[in-house]
């Protein structure tokens, strides 16, 4: 399995030693139209649970948390001028960051798609 989900409604797509991270369709739907995104660039070396970004919608602001330990290697440059990509394509072009995994063993504690579907059931 290369796609993982967290109880905080983040997804990870693992590509070798790098994980692409974003929020789930469910989270994006609950937030509504995203109007602002900010990556916490000072938090490049992350521990699981650290705040990595903030998303603001017309309804609320919400933190995005590191799903696993890692180092941020790239933020999605398209979100600076087009944060609504998170709303329109949260599990595709609305990805938020890429991180090098520093503790792959943590992936075993995350959910697969079926388990996540049961969570949001």
């Amino acid at each position: 399995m290369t796609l993982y989900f967290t109880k905080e409604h983040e997804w990870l797509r693992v590509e070798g030693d790098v994980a692409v991270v974003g929020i789930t369709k469910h989270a994006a739907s609950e937030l509504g139209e995203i109007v602002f995104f900010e990556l916490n660039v000072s938090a490049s070396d992350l521990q699981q649970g650290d705040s990595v970004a903030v998303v603001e919608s017309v309804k609320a602001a919400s933190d995005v948390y590191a799903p696993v330990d890692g180092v941020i290697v790239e933020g999605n440059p398209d979100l600076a001028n087009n944060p609504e990509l998170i709303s329109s394509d949260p599990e595709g072009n609305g990805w938020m960051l890429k991180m090098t995994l520093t503790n792959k063993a943590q992936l075993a504690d995350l959910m697969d798609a079926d388990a996540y579907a049961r969570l949001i059931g």
Side-chain angles (χ1 to χ4, degrees), residues 10-119:
E10 290 105 12
W11 59 266
L12 295 81
R13 184 177 61 244
V14 178
E15 302 169 347
D17 289 333
V18 175
V20 181
V21 179
I23 63 171
T24 65
K25 291 177 188 175
H26 174 77
S29 174
E30 291 293 309
L31 284 168
E33 182 184 346
I34 305 291
V35 295
F36 178 77
F37 169 78
E38 181 174 57
L39 186 62
N40 184 357
V41 293
S42 66
S44 63
D45 190 9
L46 304 169
Q47 299 298 306
Q48 188 176 42
D50 286 352
S51 177
V52 295
V54 174
V55 291
E56 291 182 19
S57 72
V58 294
K59 293 182 181 180
S62 183
D63 285 330
V64 177
Y65 302 99
V68 292
D69 296 352
V71 177
I72 296 175
V73 293
E74 182 181 352
N76 185 342
D78 296 333
L79 299 182
N81 296 320
N82 198 6
E84 61 272 9
L85 274 174
I86 299 168
S87 302
S88 64
D89 193 12
E91 295 180 15
N93 291 326
W95 63 273
M96 297 177 175
L97 62 109
K98 293 182 181 181
M99 61 190 297
T100 300
L101 302 171
T102 57
N103 186 353
K104 279 189 160 185
Q106 291 173 322
L107 296 172
D109 296 329
L110 302 179
M111 293 177 276
D112 64 14
D114 290 338
Y116 183 71
R118 287 190 298 276
L119 175 74

